[in-house]
Amino acid sequence: MTYKRSIIITGGAGFIGNHVVRLFVNKYPEYKIINLDKLTYAGNLANLKDIEDKPNYRFVKKDICDFEGVYKLMQDEHVDGIIHLAAESHVDRSIKDPFTFAQTNVMGTLSLLQAAKLYWETLPEKWEGKRFYHISTDEVYGALELTHPQGIEPPFSTKASSGEHHLAYGDKFFTEDLKYQPHSPYSAAKASSDHFVRAFHDTYGMPTVVTNCSNNYGPYQFPEKLIPLFINNIRHRKPLPVYGKGENVRDWLYVVDHARAIDLIFHEGKVAETYNIGGFNEWKNIDLIKVLINTVDRLLGRPEGADMDLITYVTDRAGHDMRYAIDSTKLQKELGWEPSLQFEEGIEKTVRWYLDNQEWMDNVTSGDYQKYYEDMYKNR
């Protein structure tokens, strides 16, 4: 079959990646979707069992740092689009091992960019119909302060891009024109990769686009991250380690809404533009944790709040940013995107999914998910 487009999605076996792959495979049967993933600890092909036999889907186990391998794959599959999600993303791990983050996030991105450049430059149409879409993070912007406008204690009501009111912990937000101020090895590596993507547009004319997104939550997230980790710990009545006093604020976005935004921006976003994707949904960590406890307890038939005593305060993370908050006004005004779920609905769906998929959680926490697939793809 001749496909209308051939698109590589890197990191497609990861948390956000599997939702993007699933969306594209199901929504665009006329596209060939190539899931390029190294299958590190956070990559899990069990996340994609529902589409693994689709005719327009192909999985390729490969490191994005393998320049020759990526270049050959682009030639073999006549790739005209790359959606780049593959990254080391856990801040705690970056503090312990910054070299791995620099290698994957910086050199891996550069490998993909150079492979795309060399291949697309050989084609008669060159850049026409091509796109390199790089997914980044809000953490490259640094941190925002908890501000108190007009003497009002946060959280206070402010308007989102849609005009609806939401609670905020400050009157400043991350916008696309802010100067980068990364504070962790993870965010420094992502900032560097963002700069390389923009440089390939400015130097060579490559059609690129960059997005910076807030914290995602939802099904299939690796349980080193706060929400799936705490849901599982509450279920098994294990301690809930909270950094510092739990006062740090994050903006949360349901992962399916992020995938929707990626689809929209890949097809309709302007070349060389940056778009911020956020939920206008700020929560202090400690307040979010209390919502998780109440929700898990209720769904398990326990007295609501029965597991509040699991909260355990631990020494704060080094360089822990106080507040992240994305302003998605540009994306909403130019392309018409906005989140589809209120947080209460999204967190209910998320908790239910993890409680209903304990086998998935057990396989991930035990490491069995890696053993299941290692023989299947060892020769690919």
Side-chain angles (χ1 to χ4, degrees), residues 338-370:
E338 59 184 25
S340 67
L341 290 181
Q342 296 296 320
F343 182 71
E344 291 76 10
E345 182 183 358
I347 206 68
E348 180 91 6
K349 288 168 67 76
T350 299
V351 171
R352 283 186 181 277
W353 188 90
Y354 285 104
L355 295 181
D356 290 343
N357 289 273
Q358 188 61 39
E359 183 179 0
W360 179 91
M361 179 67 78
D362 291 342
N363 286 336
V364 172
T365 53
S366 69
D368 288 346
Y369 71 103
Q370 292 178 312

PDB file of all heavy atoms in Angstrom, residues 338-370:
ATOM      1  N   GLU A 338      -8.003  23.832  23.124  1.00  0.00           N
ATOM      2  CA  GLU A 338      -8.103  24.027  24.567  1.00  0.00           C
ATOM      3  C   GLU A 338      -8.338  22.665  25.210  1.00  0.00           C
ATOM      4  O   GLU A 338      -8.770  21.714  24.541  1.00  0.00           O
ATOM      5  CB  GLU A 338      -9.214  25.003  24.931  1.00  0.00           C
ATOM      6  CG  GLU A 338     -10.588  24.605  24.474  1.00  0.00           C
ATOM      7  CD  GLU A 338     -11.622  25.689  24.788  1.00  0.00           C
ATOM      8  OE1 GLU A 338     -11.240  26.872  24.914  1.00  0.00           O
ATOM      9  OE2 GLU A 338     -12.805  25.335  24.900  1.00  0.00           O
ATOM     10  N   PRO A 339      -8.017  22.517  26.495  1.00  0.00           N
ATOM     11  CA  PRO A 339      -8.216  21.220  27.161  1.00  0.00           C
ATOM     12  C   PRO A 339      -9.680  20.796  27.108  1.00  0.00           C
ATOM     13  O   PRO A 339     -10.584  21.624  27.219  1.00  0.00           O
ATOM     14  CB  PRO A 339      -7.760  21.486  28.598  1.00  0.00           C
ATOM     15  CG  PRO A 339      -6.860  22.672  28.517  1.00  0.00           C
ATOM     16  CD  PRO A 339      -7.402  23.510  27.405  1.00  0.00           C
ATOM     17  N   SER A 340      -9.899  19.489  26.959  1.00  0.00           N
ATOM     18  CA  SER A 340     -11.268  18.974  26.867  1.00  0.00           C
ATOM     19  C   SER A 340     -11.809  18.538  28.216  1.00  0.00           C
ATOM     20  O   SER A 340     -13.029  18.429  28.384  1.00  0.00           O
ATOM     21  CB  SER A 340     -11.327  17.797  25.895  1.00  0.00           C
ATOM     22  OG  SER A 340     -10.602  16.688  26.410  1.00  0.00           O
ATOM     23  N   LEU A 341     -10.916  18.272  29.177  1.00  0.00           N
ATOM     24  CA  LEU A 341     -11.343  17.754  30.469  1.00  0.00           C
ATOM     25  C   LEU A 341     -11.041  18.725  31.597  1.00  0.00           C
ATOM     26  O   LEU A 341      -9.963  19.326  31.633  1.00  0.00           O
ATOM     27  CB  LEU A 341     -10.627  16.425  30.785  1.00  0.00           C
ATOM     28  CG  LEU A 341     -10.994  15.192  29.962  1.00  0.00           C
ATOM     29  CD1 LEU A 341     -10.187  13.997  30.458  1.00  0.00           C
ATOM     30  CD2 LEU A 341     -12.472  14.903  30.038  1.00  0.00           C
ATOM     31  N   GLN A 342     -11.965  18.881  32.503  1.00  0.00           N
ATOM     32  CA  GLN A 342     -11.677  19.532  33.770  1.00  0.00           C
ATOM     33  C   GLN A 342     -10.825  18.571  34.608  1.00  0.00           C
ATOM     34  O   GLN A 342     -10.904  17.358  34.446  1.00  0.00           O
ATOM     35  CB  GLN A 342     -12.972  19.878  34.504  1.00  0.00           C
ATOM     36  CG  GLN A 342     -13.846  20.882  33.784  1.00  0.00           C
ATOM     37  CD  GLN A 342     -13.192  22.246  33.634  1.00  0.00           C
ATOM     38  OE1 GLN A 342     -12.539  22.728  34.552  1.00  0.00           O
ATOM     39  NE2 GLN A 342     -13.346  22.850  32.480  1.00  0.00           N
ATOM     40  N   PHE A 343     -10.040  19.124  35.505  1.00  0.00           N
ATOM     41  CA  PHE A 343      -9.115  18.291  36.258  1.00  0.00           C
ATOM     42  C   PHE A 343      -9.839  17.215  37.066  1.00  0.00           C
ATOM     43  O   PHE A 343      -9.374  16.074  37.144  1.00  0.00           O
ATOM     44  CB  PHE A 343      -8.264  19.147  37.198  1.00  0.00           C
ATOM     45  CG  PHE A 343      -7.246  18.354  37.970  1.00  0.00           C
ATOM     46  CD1 PHE A 343      -6.139  17.819  37.337  1.00  0.00           C
ATOM     47  CD2 PHE A 343      -7.397  18.129  39.328  1.00  0.00           C
ATOM     48  CE1 PHE A 343      -5.205  17.086  38.036  1.00  0.00           C
ATOM     49  CE2 PHE A 343      -6.472  17.397  40.040  1.00  0.00           C
ATOM     50  CZ  PHE A 343      -5.362  16.873  39.392  1.00  0.00           C
ATOM     51  N   GLU A 344     -10.956  17.569  37.664  1.00  0.00           N
ATOM     52  CA  GLU A 344     -11.676  16.596  38.491  1.00  0.00           C
ATOM     53  C   GLU A 344     -12.082  15.374  37.671  1.00  0.00           C
ATOM     54  O   GLU A 344     -11.986  14.235  38.140  1.00  0.00           O
ATOM     55  CB  GLU A 344     -12.908  17.248  39.119  1.00  0.00           C
ATOM     56  CG  GLU A 344     -12.599  18.287  40.185  1.00  0.00           C
ATOM     57  CD  GLU A 344     -12.108  19.614  39.617  1.00  0.00           C
ATOM     58  OE1 GLU A 344     -12.180  19.809  38.378  1.00  0.00           O
ATOM     59  OE2 GLU A 344     -11.651  20.458  40.414  1.00  0.00           O
ATOM     60  N   GLU A 345     -12.526  15.609  36.426  1.00  0.00           N
ATOM     61  CA  GLU A 345     -12.893  14.496  35.558  1.00  0.00           C
ATOM     62  C   GLU A 345     -11.662  13.711  35.124  1.00  0.00           C
ATOM     63  O   GLU A 345     -11.657  12.480  35.096  1.00  0.00           O
ATOM     64  CB  GLU A 345     -13.628  15.027  34.323  1.00  0.00           C
ATOM     65  CG  GLU A 345     -14.095  13.930  33.377  1.00  0.00           C
ATOM     66  CD  GLU A 345     -14.768  14.481  32.126  1.00  0.00           C
ATOM     67  OE1 GLU A 345     -14.914  15.722  32.012  1.00  0.00           O
ATOM     68  OE2 GLU A 345     -15.138  13.659  31.256  1.00  0.00           O
ATOM     69  N   GLY A 346     -10.595  14.431  34.790  1.00  0.00           N
ATOM     70  CA  GLY A 346      -9.378  13.773  34.347  1.00  0.00           C
ATOM     71  C   GLY A 346      -8.734  12.918  35.427  1.00  0.00           C
ATOM     72  O   GLY A 346      -8.272  11.812  35.166  1.00  0.00           O
ATOM     73  N   ILE A 347      -8.707  13.423  36.660  1.00  0.00           N
ATOM     74  CA  ILE A 347      -8.072  12.660  37.736  1.00  0.00           C
ATOM     75  C   ILE A 347      -8.918  11.448  38.098  1.00  0.00           C
ATOM     76  O   ILE A 347      -8.393  10.381  38.450  1.00  0.00           O
ATOM     77  CB  ILE A 347      -7.796  13.559  38.965  1.00  0.00           C
ATOM     78  CG1 ILE A 347      -6.613  12.984  39.776  1.00  0.00           C
ATOM     79  CG2 ILE A 347      -9.000  13.712  39.852  1.00  0.00           C
ATOM     80  CD1 ILE A 347      -5.297  13.052  39.076  1.00  0.00           C
ATOM     81  N   GLU A 348     -10.235  11.570  38.004  1.00  0.00           N
ATOM     82  CA  GLU A 348     -11.119  10.426  38.250  1.00  0.00           C
ATOM     83  C   GLU A 348     -10.859   9.323  37.220  1.00  0.00           C
ATOM     84  O   GLU A 348     -10.729   8.146  37.582  1.00  0.00           O
ATOM     85  CB  GLU A 348     -12.577  10.873  38.193  1.00  0.00           C
ATOM     86  CG  GLU A 348     -13.589   9.767  38.446  1.00  0.00           C
ATOM     87  CD  GLU A 348     -13.984   9.620  39.909  1.00  0.00           C
ATOM     88  OE1 GLU A 348     -13.557  10.470  40.730  1.00  0.00           O
ATOM     89  OE2 GLU A 348     -14.702   8.665  40.237  1.00  0.00           O
ATOM     90  N   LYS A 349     -10.765   9.696  35.938  1.00  0.00           N
ATOM     91  CA  LYS A 349     -10.484   8.724  34.878  1.00  0.00           C
ATOM     92  C   LYS A 349      -9.122   8.081  35.094  1.00  0.00           C
ATOM     93  O   LYS A 349      -8.936   6.872  34.896  1.00  0.00           O
ATOM     94  CB  LYS A 349     -10.519   9.408  33.506  1.00  0.00           C
ATOM     95  CG  LYS A 349     -11.902   9.790  33.027  1.00  0.00           C
ATOM     96  CD  LYS A 349     -11.836  10.703  31.818  1.00  0.00           C
ATOM     97  CE  LYS A 349     -11.274  10.012  30.590  1.00  0.00           C
ATOM     98  NZ  LYS A 349     -12.248   9.108  29.963  1.00  0.00           N
ATOM     99  N   THR A 350      -8.156   8.892  35.515  1.00  0.00           N
ATOM    100  CA  THR A 350      -6.791   8.397  35.702  1.00  0.00           C
ATOM    101  C   THR A 350      -6.710   7.407  36.849  1.00  0.00           C
ATOM    102  O   THR A 350      -6.126   6.313  36.713  1.00  0.00           O
ATOM    103  CB  THR A 350      -5.844   9.580  35.951  1.00  0.00           C
ATOM    104  OG1 THR A 350      -5.866  10.448  34.810  1.00  0.00           O
ATOM    105  CG2 THR A 350      -4.424   9.108  36.208  1.00  0.00           C
ATOM    106  N   VAL A 351      -7.286   7.761  37.994  1.00  0.00           N
ATOM    107  CA  VAL A 351      -7.247   6.854  39.150  1.00  0.00           C
ATOM    108  C   VAL A 351      -7.964   5.550  38.820  1.00  0.00           C
ATOM    109  O   VAL A 351      -7.457   4.455  39.123  1.00  0.00           O
ATOM    110  CB  VAL A 351      -7.872   7.525  40.386  1.00  0.00           C
ATOM    111  CG1 VAL A 351      -8.033   6.522  41.523  1.00  0.00           C
ATOM    112  CG2 VAL A 351      -7.016   8.711  40.850  1.00  0.00           C
ATOM    113  N   ARG A 352      -9.121   5.649  38.177  1.00  0.00           N
ATOM    114  CA  ARG A 352      -9.853   4.435  37.802  1.00  0.00           C
ATOM    115  C   ARG A 352      -9.013   3.547  36.889  1.00  0.00           C
ATOM    116  O   ARG A 352      -9.009   2.325  37.024  1.00  0.00           O
ATOM    117  CB  ARG A 352     -11.172   4.796  37.095  1.00  0.00           C
ATOM    118  CG  ARG A 352     -12.268   5.265  38.036  1.00  0.00           C
ATOM    119  CD  ARG A 352     -13.580   5.456  37.282  1.00  0.00           C
ATOM    120  NE  ARG A 352     -14.639   5.935  38.152  1.00  0.00           N
ATOM    121  CZ  ARG A 352     -15.372   5.156  38.932  1.00  0.00           C
ATOM    122  NH1 ARG A 352     -15.158   3.844  38.936  1.00  0.00           N
ATOM    123  NH2 ARG A 352     -16.323   5.675  39.688  1.00  0.00           N
ATOM    124  N   TRP A 353      -8.301   4.150  35.943  1.00  0.00           N
ATOM    125  CA  TRP A 353      -7.502   3.350  35.010  1.00  0.00           C
ATOM    126  C   TRP A 353      -6.422   2.561  35.760  1.00  0.00           C
ATOM    127  O   TRP A 353      -6.247   1.361  35.524  1.00  0.00           O
ATOM    128  CB  TRP A 353      -6.851   4.235  33.946  1.00  0.00           C
ATOM    129  CG  TRP A 353      -6.192   3.407  32.869  1.00  0.00           C
ATOM    130  CD1 TRP A 353      -6.760   2.957  31.717  1.00  0.00           C
ATOM    131  CD2 TRP A 353      -4.844   2.909  32.876  1.00  0.00           C
ATOM    132  NE1 TRP A 353      -5.868   2.194  31.015  1.00  0.00           N
ATOM    133  CE2 TRP A 353      -4.682   2.152  31.695  1.00  0.00           C
ATOM    134  CE3 TRP A 353      -3.767   3.017  33.753  1.00  0.00           C
ATOM    135  CZ2 TRP A 353      -3.479   1.517  31.363  1.00  0.00           C
ATOM    136  CZ3 TRP A 353      -2.569   2.379  33.443  1.00  0.00           C
ATOM    137  CH2 TRP A 353      -2.431   1.645  32.256  1.00  0.00           C
ATOM    138  N   TYR A 354      -5.701   3.224  36.661  1.00  0.00           N
ATOM    139  CA  TYR A 354      -4.634   2.518  37.384  1.00  0.00           C
ATOM    140  C   TYR A 354      -5.195   1.446  38.316  1.00  0.00           C
ATOM    141  O   TYR A 354      -4.618   0.358  38.449  1.00  0.00           O
ATOM    142  CB  TYR A 354      -3.760   3.508  38.151  1.00  0.00           C
ATOM    143  CG  TYR A 354      -2.822   4.274  37.240  1.00  0.00           C
ATOM    144  CD1 TYR A 354      -3.082   5.598  36.898  1.00  0.00           C
ATOM    145  CD2 TYR A 354      -1.699   3.665  36.695  1.00  0.00           C
ATOM    146  CE1 TYR A 354      -2.249   6.293  36.045  1.00  0.00           C
ATOM    147  CE2 TYR A 354      -0.848   4.355  35.835  1.00  0.00           C
ATOM    148  CZ  TYR A 354      -1.133   5.660  35.512  1.00  0.00           C
ATOM    149  OH  TYR A 354      -0.308   6.339  34.654  1.00  0.00           O
ATOM    150  N   LEU A 355      -6.327   1.723  38.937  1.00  0.00           N
ATOM    151  CA  LEU A 355      -6.938   0.720  39.810  1.00  0.00           C
ATOM    152  C   LEU A 355      -7.470  -0.466  39.003  1.00  0.00           C
ATOM    153  O   LEU A 355      -7.436  -1.607  39.480  1.00  0.00           O
ATOM    154  CB  LEU A 355      -8.064   1.344  40.629  1.00  0.00           C
ATOM    155  CG  LEU A 355      -7.656   2.416  41.643  1.00  0.00           C
ATOM    156  CD1 LEU A 355      -8.880   2.926  42.403  1.00  0.00           C
ATOM    157  CD2 LEU A 355      -6.604   1.900  42.620  1.00  0.00           C
ATOM    158  N   ASP A 356      -7.943  -0.211  37.778  1.00  0.00           N
ATOM    159  CA  ASP A 356      -8.482  -1.277  36.935  1.00  0.00           C
ATOM    160  C   ASP A 356      -7.399  -2.035  36.183  1.00  0.00           C
ATOM    161  O   ASP A 356      -7.681  -3.077  35.569  1.00  0.00           O
ATOM    162  CB  ASP A 356      -9.476  -0.701  35.917  1.00  0.00           C
ATOM    163  CG  ASP A 356     -10.766  -0.213  36.561  1.00  0.00           C
ATOM    164  OD1 ASP A 356     -11.030  -0.596  37.720  1.00  0.00           O
ATOM    165  OD2 ASP A 356     -11.488   0.564  35.910  1.00  0.00           O
ATOM    166  N   ASN A 357      -6.173  -1.520  36.185  1.00  0.00           N
ATOM    167  CA  ASN A 357      -5.086  -2.137  35.419  1.00  0.00           C
ATOM    168  C   ASN A 357      -3.909  -2.470  36.332  1.00  0.00           C
ATOM    169  O   ASN A 357      -2.752  -2.141  36.038  1.00  0.00           O
ATOM    170  CB  ASN A 357      -4.654  -1.214  34.280  1.00  0.00           C
ATOM    171  CG  ASN A 357      -5.693  -1.122  33.178  1.00  0.00           C
ATOM    172  OD1 ASN A 357      -5.708  -1.932  32.253  1.00  0.00           O
ATOM    173  ND2 ASN A 357      -6.574  -0.141  33.285  1.00  0.00           N
ATOM    174  N   GLN A 358      -4.221  -3.156  37.426  1.00  0.00           N
ATOM    175  CA  GLN A 358      -3.191  -3.514  38.388  1.00  0.00           C
ATOM    176  C   GLN A 358      -2.159  -4.463  37.777  1.00  0.00           C
ATOM    177  O   GLN A 358      -0.982  -4.439  38.137  1.00  0.00           O
ATOM    178  CB  GLN A 358      -3.812  -4.152  39.626  1.00  0.00           C
ATOM    179  CG  GLN A 358      -2.834  -4.378  40.778  1.00  0.00           C
ATOM    180  CD  GLN A 358      -2.209  -3.089  41.287  1.00  0.00           C
ATOM    181  OE1 GLN A 358      -2.873  -2.071  41.380  1.00  0.00           O
ATOM    182  NE2 GLN A 358      -0.925  -3.138  41.620  1.00  0.00           N
ATOM    183  N   GLU A 359      -2.580  -5.316  36.839  1.00  0.00           N
ATOM    184  CA  GLU A 359      -1.630  -6.225  36.188  1.00  0.00           C
ATOM    185  C   GLU A 359      -0.564  -5.441  35.435  1.00  0.00           C
ATOM    186  O   GLU A 359       0.611  -5.775  35.475  1.00  0.00           O
ATOM    187  CB  GLU A 359      -2.357  -7.171  35.242  1.00  0.00           C
ATOM    188  CG  GLU A 359      -1.432  -8.182  34.585  1.00  0.00           C
ATOM    189  CD  GLU A 359      -2.164  -9.133  33.650  1.00  0.00           C
ATOM    190  OE1 GLU A 359      -3.399  -9.017  33.513  1.00  0.00           O
ATOM    191  OE2 GLU A 359      -1.487  -9.988  33.041  1.00  0.00           O
ATOM    192  N   TRP A 360      -0.998  -4.366  34.726  1.00  0.00           N
ATOM    193  CA  TRP A 360      -0.039  -3.505  34.035  1.00  0.00           C
ATOM    194  C   TRP A 360       0.936  -2.901  35.036  1.00  0.00           C
ATOM    195  O   TRP A 360       2.152  -2.914  34.821  1.00  0.00           O
ATOM    196  CB  TRP A 360      -0.780  -2.393  33.287  1.00  0.00           C
ATOM    197  CG  TRP A 360       0.123  -1.435  32.563  1.00  0.00           C
ATOM    198  CD1 TRP A 360       0.559  -1.520  31.274  1.00  0.00           C
ATOM    199  CD2 TRP A 360       0.718  -0.239  33.097  1.00  0.00           C
ATOM    200  NE1 TRP A 360       1.380  -0.467  30.960  1.00  0.00           N
ATOM    201  CE2 TRP A 360       1.494   0.335  32.066  1.00  0.00           C
ATOM    202  CE3 TRP A 360       0.677   0.403  34.326  1.00  0.00           C
ATOM    203  CZ2 TRP A 360       2.219   1.518  32.232  1.00  0.00           C
ATOM    204  CZ3 TRP A 360       1.399   1.586  34.504  1.00  0.00           C
ATOM    205  CH2 TRP A 360       2.151   2.132  33.467  1.00  0.00           C
ATOM    206  N   MET A 361       0.406  -2.370  36.133  1.00  0.00           N
ATOM    207  CA  MET A 361       1.256  -1.770  37.160  1.00  0.00           C
ATOM    208  C   MET A 361       2.218  -2.793  37.743  1.00  0.00           C
ATOM    209  O   MET A 361       3.418  -2.508  37.916  1.00  0.00           O
ATOM    210  CB  MET A 361       0.386  -1.168  38.267  1.00  0.00           C
ATOM    211  CG  MET A 361       1.170  -0.540  39.414  1.00  0.00           C
ATOM    212  SD  MET A 361       2.105   0.937  38.948  1.00  0.00           S
ATOM    213  CE  MET A 361       0.790   2.162  38.897  1.00  0.00           C
ATOM    214  N   ASP A 362       1.732  -3.998  38.042  1.00  0.00           N
ATOM    215  CA  ASP A 362       2.591  -5.036  38.616  1.00  0.00           C
ATOM    216  C   ASP A 362       3.712  -5.422  37.647  1.00  0.00           C
ATOM    217  O   ASP A 362       4.860  -5.633  38.061  1.00  0.00           O
ATOM    218  CB  ASP A 362       1.769  -6.276  38.975  1.00  0.00           C
ATOM    219  CG  ASP A 362       0.817  -6.036  40.144  1.00  0.00           C
ATOM    220  OD1 ASP A 362       1.027  -5.056  40.890  1.00  0.00           O
ATOM    221  OD2 ASP A 362      -0.127  -6.826  40.299  1.00  0.00           O
ATOM    222  N   ASN A 363       3.396  -5.517  36.353  1.00  0.00           N
ATOM    223  CA  ASN A 363       4.414  -5.877  35.366  1.00  0.00           C
ATOM    224  C   ASN A 363       5.480  -4.794  35.228  1.00  0.00           C
ATOM    225  O   ASN A 363       6.658  -5.085  35.010  1.00  0.00           O
ATOM    226  CB  ASN A 363       3.768  -6.135  34.003  1.00  0.00           C
ATOM    227  CG  ASN A 363       3.028  -7.450  33.950  1.00  0.00           C
ATOM    228  OD1 ASN A 363       3.325  -8.374  34.713  1.00  0.00           O
ATOM    229  ND2 ASN A 363       2.062  -7.561  33.050  1.00  0.00           N
ATOM    230  N   VAL A 364       5.054  -3.542  35.357  1.00  0.00           N
ATOM    231  CA  VAL A 364       6.013  -2.442  35.259  1.00  0.00           C
ATOM    232  C   VAL A 364       6.891  -2.378  36.504  1.00  0.00           C
ATOM    233  O   VAL A 364       8.118  -2.277  36.409  1.00  0.00           O
ATOM    234  CB  VAL A 364       5.285  -1.098  35.040  1.00  0.00           C
ATOM    235  CG1 VAL A 364       6.270   0.063  35.140  1.00  0.00           C
ATOM    236  CG2 VAL A 364       4.599  -1.088  33.681  1.00  0.00           C
ATOM    237  N   THR A 365       6.288  -2.431  37.668  1.00  0.00           N
ATOM    238  CA  THR A 365       7.063  -2.304  38.901  1.00  0.00           C
ATOM    239  C   THR A 365       7.983  -3.507  39.118  1.00  0.00           C
ATOM    240  O   THR A 365       9.037  -3.382  39.739  1.00  0.00           O
ATOM    241  CB  THR A 365       6.138  -2.131  40.119  1.00  0.00           C
ATOM    242  OG1 THR A 365       5.168  -3.186  40.140  1.00  0.00           O
ATOM    243  CG2 THR A 365       5.411  -0.800  40.055  1.00  0.00           C
ATOM    244  N   SER A 366       7.617  -4.675  38.580  1.00  0.00           N
ATOM    245  CA  SER A 366       8.461  -5.863  38.730  1.00  0.00           C
ATOM    246  C   SER A 366       9.529  -5.962  37.653  1.00  0.00           C
ATOM    247  O   SER A 366      10.504  -6.707  37.796  1.00  0.00           O
ATOM    248  CB  SER A 366       7.597  -7.135  38.680  1.00  0.00           C
ATOM    249  OG  SER A 366       7.067  -7.332  37.380  1.00  0.00           O
ATOM    250  N   GLY A 367       9.353  -5.225  36.539  1.00  0.00           N
ATOM    251  CA  GLY A 367      10.275  -5.316  35.416  1.00  0.00           C
ATOM    252  C   GLY A 367       9.899  -6.390  34.407  1.00  0.00           C
ATOM    253  O   GLY A 367      10.586  -6.563  33.394  1.00  0.00           O
ATOM    254  N   ASP A 368       8.794  -7.109  34.631  1.00  0.00           N
ATOM    255  CA  ASP A 368       8.407  -8.192  33.727  1.00  0.00           C
ATOM    256  C   ASP A 368       8.083  -7.693  32.324  1.00  0.00           C
ATOM    257  O   ASP A 368       8.209  -8.434  31.352  1.00  0.00           O
ATOM    258  CB  ASP A 368       7.194  -8.942  34.288  1.00  0.00           C
ATOM    259  CG  ASP A 368       7.546  -9.805  35.496  1.00  0.00           C
ATOM    260  OD1 ASP A 368       8.759 -10.029  35.716  1.00  0.00           O
ATOM    261  OD2 ASP A 368       6.627 -10.241  36.219  1.00  0.00           O
ATOM    262  N   TYR A 369       7.651  -6.431  32.198  1.00  0.00           N
ATOM    263  CA  TYR A 369       7.297  -5.896  30.885  1.00  0.00           C
ATOM    264  C   TYR A 369       8.493  -5.892  29.946  1.00  0.00           C
ATOM    265  O   TYR A 369       8.354  -6.054  28.731  1.00  0.00           O
ATOM    266  CB  TYR A 369       6.726  -4.475  31.028  1.00  0.00           C
ATOM    267  CG  TYR A 369       7.749  -3.418  31.407  1.00  0.00           C
ATOM    268  CD1 TYR A 369       8.249  -2.538  30.470  1.00  0.00           C
ATOM    269  CD2 TYR A 369       8.218  -3.310  32.720  1.00  0.00           C
ATOM    270  CE1 TYR A 369       9.180  -1.569  30.810  1.00  0.00           C
ATOM    271  CE2 TYR A 369       9.137  -2.357  33.075  1.00  0.00           C
ATOM    272  CZ  TYR A 369       9.615  -1.488  32.121  1.00  0.00           C
ATOM    273  OH  TYR A 369      10.555  -0.536  32.478  1.00  0.00           O
ATOM    274  N   GLN A 370       9.699  -5.706  30.496  1.00  0.00           N
ATOM    275  CA  GLN A 370      10.897  -5.709  29.659  1.00  0.00           C
ATOM    276  C   GLN A 370      11.246  -7.123  29.200  1.00  0.00           C
ATOM    277  O   GLN A 370      11.634  -7.342  28.047  1.00  0.00           O
ATOM    278  CB  GLN A 370      12.068  -5.092  30.415  1.00  0.00           C
ATOM    279  CG  GLN A 370      11.892  -3.596  30.669  1.00  0.00           C
ATOM    280  CD  GLN A 370      13.042  -3.016  31.466  1.00  0.00           C
ATOM    281  OE1 GLN A 370      13.449  -3.554  32.489  1.00  0.00           O
ATOM    282  NE2 GLN A 370      13.577  -1.908  30.997  1.00  0.00           N
TER     283      GLN A 370
END
